[in-house]
Structure formats: structure tokens, C-alpha cells
Amino acid sequence: MTDSPPPDPAEPLLAERLARAITLGGPIPVSQFMGAANAHYYATRDPLGAGGDFTTAPEISQMFGELIGAWAADLWDRAGRPVVAWVELGPGRGTLTADALRVMARAGLTPAVHFVETSPTLRTAQARLVPDATWHDGLASLPDDVPLIVVANEFFDALPIRQLVRRGAQWHERLVACQDLLFLPVAGKVVPAAIIPPHLADAPAGSIIETSPAGVAVMADLSARIVAQGGAALVIDYGYDGPAVGDTLQAVRAHGFANPFDAPGEQDLTAHVDMATLALVAQASGARVGGAIGQGAFLTALGIDARAAALGERVAPDRARLVEEMGELFRVVSIRHADWPEPAGFA
């Protein structure tokens, strides 16, 4: 496997292509802007680490992936040790899976590994750590003949969101306009009042509601697979229990926050995840749901304090970052087949 080829210097930058599309066709939905920006961003770089734009929990400490591996091995053991496939959605550099596999192997669990990843650059990085993985562009080609143990850590937050903004007494689709390569949000057409949750209908002017049709679609597909095949999934992301009002669209560049409408495709765009809605989608598919709970409480229940003590004082800052700094903002939800036991951490 090779790195993705360098961009063709004759090809216009993403910002220029988006500007041309908006000039010709008018403002575009926030979801379209975010989808195009993140597709380009992740396809053209490894964004992780000190030299990148952000750091995820698996890159902070090996403890994170090790505890996820122990969680999976315990669940698999109590389920009767069936043949399963391990799936990670958006696996970054593959660090979480590599750390988890090491722990799972000690318990006798050595599953086939499947990564859902579209970035050629990140696939190359993942292959260095997990060379025997199988890669997929989406969920459709995942194995359908064995139970799945699925992990999605900071995956749903990067999926495109739709934003609705209140102007006067009505709600409008939030769009992105452009003038001279300056992108900015504007209010578009009025949306039907029936799509607004009743408890939010009279929110103050300027309020924003976010939804993620892409996230709902992924969760519906994933939970339907687990109901049909068996297994469980773990979703870890920064989120909230919605629907609720609030503008959470943000950009991160060089480990700092930036204007999300600047430099499309050159910075990471994310939005907080409505964990309550994802849980409802899974329940509607017939899956059993645990959580949402804080990441700090979840890792504590899995034994991060004992693991940190075993590794020594050098990991104390990492433990604090995972449990305290990220402990409440990051939420954890599990979904499982009705015949599988309740996963650890959700009692």
C-alpha cells in the first residue's frame, strides 16, 4: 500500500471549487459544506499528533485501547466465546485497535479485523500497526455471517450535520454563502414547522438546532446488523442528550480552535453528537442500549486506576486527561444484541 499521490497542481483548491459551485448554484447547506470539507481534509493528511491538528484518546495513552480490548474480551467470554469480527469505524492511525488486540489475544480472542476508512493516507498508517486488517469504504461490505464487535471512537462527530436557525417566528435551513473566497453562514428557505421538536419550537430568535441525517443512517445500519448477526458496539464521542438548541460546529487546526467557515478542507470540522437520538435509533432497530455515560465513569468502571498504578507515575497526566478533562464532555453508548450480555461499565 502506498501513500496517496500529491495533489495535481492544475486542480483548483477545494475552497475555489466550493466558491465556484456556490456562485453558479447559490448557497449550499451546512451539511454539504462540512461533508466536502472533511472528505478532502481526511483524504489528504494524517491529522493526528503533535505535528497535526488534534489528538484522540488512543494517542494520549495505551491505557485507552487496552481497556477497550479488555471490555471486548470480557463481553465475548460471557457471550460464550463465539467466532466474531472486530470492526473499528474511523480508526485514525489504528492505535486503538493495535492496543486492544494485544489485550484481547491474552484472553484468547483473536478476531479478524475490519476497518471502515476512506482516507488513503490513514489506511497507510493503519496498515503499519495492523497489517492483517481488511479495509472497507462503508458498512455495506462488512462480514454478515458472524457477530460483530464494533468500536466507533470520535467517528460520529465528523459526520455532516444539518443546521436550522430561527429567524423571527420561523425556522430556516442554515446555508453557506461565499463572496471572494469568504464563506459565511446565512439563513435559507423556511422549513416546515412539523420537523421542529415541539419543546424547541419557541426557542429565542437566533437559536440553532442541529441534526445529523448521516449519523442516524450509520447508526440504523449498524444496529440492524447487530440485531441480525449478534454482537455489540461501543460509541465514544463528545456529545449531549438532544434534541437541543446550540451551535456546536467547530474547527480545529494546529491544536487550537478556528472559524469553521475558513479554509474548507484544511482544518478538521466536527460537531457534538446527539447521543440520545442515536440511542433511540438503535432501540427502534431492536437493539439493547446502555448509556449514555461519561467517559470518565466508563474508564473508571473498567479499571483505569489499577492500570495506571501498574504503569507507574509517568501515566498520571494521561489518566487525568482521559478521566477528568475528557471525562464528562465525552459520552459512551453501547448497543448489543438481545441475547448478548450487558457490557461492562453500564451496570
Side-chain angles (χ1 to χ4, degrees), residues 68-215:
I68 301 301
W71 175 91
D74 170 73
L75 180 63
W76 166 77
D77 181 65
R78 290 187 288 119
R81 299 194 160 214
V83 175
V84 299
W86 170 272
V87 178
E88 187 175 357
L89 310 182
R93 291 174 174 166
T95 305
L96 187 157
T97 288
D99 290 337
L101 287 173
R102 188 171 59 251
V103 173
M104 290 190 289
R106 291 200 289 266
L109 175 57
T110 55
V113 175
H114 297 265
F115 285 153
V116 176
E117 178 62 72
T118 58
S119 167
T121 302
L122 289 175
R123 283 190 178 193
T124 299
Q126 293 153 15
R128 296 188 188 106
L129 288 180
V130 191
D132 294 330
T134 299
W135 282 265
H136 306 263
D137 290 332
L139 273 63
S141 59
L142 291 174
D144 59 7
D145 57 348
V146 295
L148 304 177
I149 297 180
V150 183
V151 176
N153 178 61
E154 294 195 51
F155 170 80
F156 282 91
D157 65 277
L159 297 180
I161 60 163
R162 182 186 187 192
Q163 288 189 325
L164 307 177
V165 59
R166 183 154 189 183
R167 291 285 182 264
Q170 295 178 307
W171 289 88
H172 301 251
E173 180 89 22
R174 203 179 194 206
L175 307 177
V176 179
C178 180
Q179 183 173 1
D180 298 327
L181 291 179
L182 176 65
F183 298 89
L184 69 162
V186 297
K189 292 182 178 179
V190 174
V191 299
I195 73 171
I196 305 300
H199 70 288
L200 303 179
D202 294 325
S207 296
I208 291 174
I209 297 173
E210 297 175 342
T211 63
S212 178

